[in-house]
Amino acid sequence: MKVVVTGGAGYIGSHTIIDIVESTNWEIVSIDSYINSTPDTYRRIKEVTGKEIEHYKVDLCDKNALKNVFNEIGAIAGVIHFAALKAVGDSVENPLLYYQNNITGLLNILECCANYNIPNLIFSSSCSIYGNVDVLPVDETTPLAKSESPYAATKAIGEEILKDFSKVSNTNLIALRYFNPVGAHSSGLIGENPINKPSNLFPVITQTAVGIIEEMQVFGADYKTRDGSCIRDYIHVSDIANAHILALKYAVEQGKLENLEFYNLGSGNGVSVLEAISTFEDLSNIKLNYKLSARRPGDVESIYSNSKKAKSQLDWETKFALTDMMSSAWNWQQQLEKEKNEQS
Ligand code: NAD
Ligand code: WQD
């Protein structure tokens, strides 16, 4: 079957394409504007899998260009829709860009689903839609609090759009709510390679270890947590990738889903910032240069997932532990350094 992956040159999209190539016989077509990636990702995917990926450079907000691609591709069994802007801080500074890109992109893809009779769509949602929660862990019945950023709002609104569309559409719609995807493919040949400066903890840790960042900050050491730093649910990107295959298989098997289905994808383990740092220090034998700093605006104190629904309905199991996440992220950082040195 033919599957369209939007945002296939990005971090999670590329790992999902690799898993699809390695574990299914599906044909992939990637659509990306390269607003936060480069087509070099396809070279890396080929290095890992040996497979050339069919790809188009299209901005999903350009409806006509998108239609042209769908006209060319022919019958499609499913769309996995990753393409979106994702930096929380950036979204606070550029709210219109985020609403425009993420909402218009989604609307145009849904219009294609309707016009081209596409039976299944998987949407990248986010734990950020839960906002500040009172009860942990969060599951799919936890009420959504106010979105803390325009980025989070694009995901919450995205799910609302999907809910309404599911009532009138022939397309099965599934939203996967990722917690904190981290790490890199076990080959060490591909990982997160954003154009923009990273603000997420794992790349900040590995960039500090190689000296790109001189001194990293731990944002807040006075939270009411076991060591004062924030707690998150880190989840290996390859575990996230695999959930898309299972979700698409589930949607195909179910025939027609009545409503939007949504699933948390987290490990269920809450890990503090200081625990993440010491896990890295232990496995790399590198002392990180960090200081305890003020809280980062917009951060929630603690969040971690109950992902039992994905386990029971999709048969999704996490395969990777925190040490795998950290060591694969570290391998990838070292690979990037090696490539940089070879080029200079
Ligand atoms: P990423 O930035 O690495 O990948 C997104 C890809 O989409 C990029 O290649 C970018 O160029 C492309 N893109 C963005 N807007 C586009 C547009 N209008 N048209 C065509 N291509 C466009 O991000 P990622 O980490 O791989 O995230 C993938 C999805 O998962 C996003 O929807 C993101 O919001 C969501 N998500 C990510 C995280 C995370 O922490 N990485 C957590 C929860 C949800
Ligand atoms: C993790 C923890 C920071 C950097 C975001 C989005 C969420 C999802 C995942 C998209 C926090 C601390 C970080 C640093 C630090 N993305 N930290 N020093 O904010 O939990 O989640 O990415 O959907 O929606 O909100 O992830 O990796 O930025 O931060 O102390 O230099 O690490 O304060 O406690 P976050 P993160």
Side-chain angles (χ1 to χ4, degrees):
M1 62 187 207
K2 203 175 247 188
V3 174
V4 167
V5 175
T6 75
Y11 175 45
I12 306 172
S14 58
H15 287 76
T16 303
I17 291 176
I18 288 174
D19 199 353
I20 290 174
V21 170
E22 286 179 339
S23 65
T24 75
N25 55 7
W26 303 349
E27 236 178 280
I28 302 293
V29 180
S30 171
I31 302 176
D32 204 301
S33 64
Y34 310 119
I35 191 171
N36 193 36
S37 59
T38 69
D40 185 53
T41 302
Y42 305 116
R43 178 189 61 77
R44 292 186 184 278
I45 292 175
K46 189 171 179 199
E47 224 177 314
V48 177
T49 64
K51 182 131 173 109
E52 202 81 62
I53 299 300
E54 186 181 347
H55 57 92
Y56 291 84
K57 179 177 191 283
V58 169
D59 182 341
L60 300 190
C61 299
D62 182 345
K63 206 194 278 190
N64 286 331
L66 194 60
K67 277 186 189 159
N68 289 339
V69 172
F70 277 89
N71 281 334
E72 239 178 81
I73 300 175
I76 294 161
V79 172
I80 308 181
H81 176 47
F82 292 106
L85 289 169
K86 64 158 178 178
V88 174
D90 188 32
S91 79
V92 175
E93 281 162 32
N94 300 293
L96 299 187
L97 173 68
Y98 274 69
Y99 285 111
Q100 167 67 20
N101 189 72
N102 294 2
I103 302 296
T104 308
L106 174 64
L107 291 173
N108 288 345
I109 276 290
L110 293 179
E111 207 175 304
C112 287
C113 286
N115 293 343
Y116 295 87
N117 296 318
I118 297 171
N120 304 292
L121 175 124
I122 314 293
F123 172 69
S124 298
S125 188
S126 164
C127 66
S128 60
I129 67 172
Y130 287 109
N132 276 302
V133 289
D134 297 326
V135 181
L136 289 168
V138 291
D139 67 20
E140 293 80 356
T141 64
T142 303
L144 306 185
K146 179 177 92 50
S147 292
E148 292 293 319
S149 68
Y151 166 74
T154 68
K155 295 296 176 183
I157 295 167
E159 285 202 12
E160 284 304 313
I161 292 171
L162 292 177
K163 249 178 237 164
D164 290 339
F165 187 56
S166 71
K167 293 177 191 141
V168 295
S169 147
N170 292 323
T171 305
N172 286 325
L173 302 169
I174 294 183
L176 299 179
R177 296 173 175 172
Y178 319 149
F179 278 64
N180 287 51
V182 294
H185 190 258
S186 54
S187 62
L189 298 172
I190 194 163
E192 186 164 19
N193 202 3
I195 287 177
N196 305 318
K197 190 171 162 273
S199 58
N200 293 120
L201 181 63
F202 273 49
V204 167
I205 286 178
T206 58
Q207 289 198 3
T208 306
V210 294
I212 298 173
I213 297 171
E214 203 181 309
E215 181 188 56
M216 69 168 285
Q217 302 179 57
V218 173
F219 296 131
D222 57 350
Y223 286 102
K224 287 195 203 81
T225 58
R226 47 188 177 261
D227 60 20
S229 64
C230 288
I231 289 181
R232 295 289 181 274
D233 186 335
Y234 300 99
I235 170 95
H236 198 293
V237 65
S238 297
D239 280 331
I240 292 277
N242 190 244
H244 293 79
I245 298 180
L246 297 172
L248 193 47
K249 282 184 176 164
Y250 175 78
V252 170
E253 279 161 19
Q254 290 297 305
K256 178 68 185 93
L257 298 171
E258 223 161 279
N259 298 303
L260 167 70
E261 283 289 354
F262 37 91
Y263 300 92
N264 280 356
L265 297 181
S267 70
N269 300 318
V271 172
S272 77
V273 176
L274 290 170
E275 286 163 355
I277 287 175
S278 73
T279 302
F280 176 82
E281 290 182 331
D282 288 348
L283 70 84
S284 66
N285 276 320
I286 293 174
K287 268 290 218 220
L288 284 175
N289 188 19
Y290 70 86
K291 73 166 180 216
L292 305 181
S293 306
R295 295 179 178 197
R296 184 172 69 174
D299 268 342
V300 299
E301 182 170 278
S302 293
I303 187 158
Y304 51 95
S305 167
N306 171 331
S307 305
K308 282 191 183 137
K309 187 178 173 198
K311 287 191 175 75
S312 71
Q313 288 190 8
L314 305 181
D315 203 19
W316 178 70
E317 295 259 286
T318 55
K319 297 189 183 80
F320 299 98
L322 182 66
T323 45
D324 304 313
M325 302 177 209
M326 201 55 100
S327 60
S328 62
W330 180 221
N331 275 346
W332 170 238
Q333 185 69 60
Q334 289 172 297
Q335 170 71 15
L336 284 175
E337 286 302 293
K338 196 173 122 213
E339 290 177 15
K340 210 163 69 183
N341 292 336
E342 280 165 5
Q343 278 159 17
S344 62

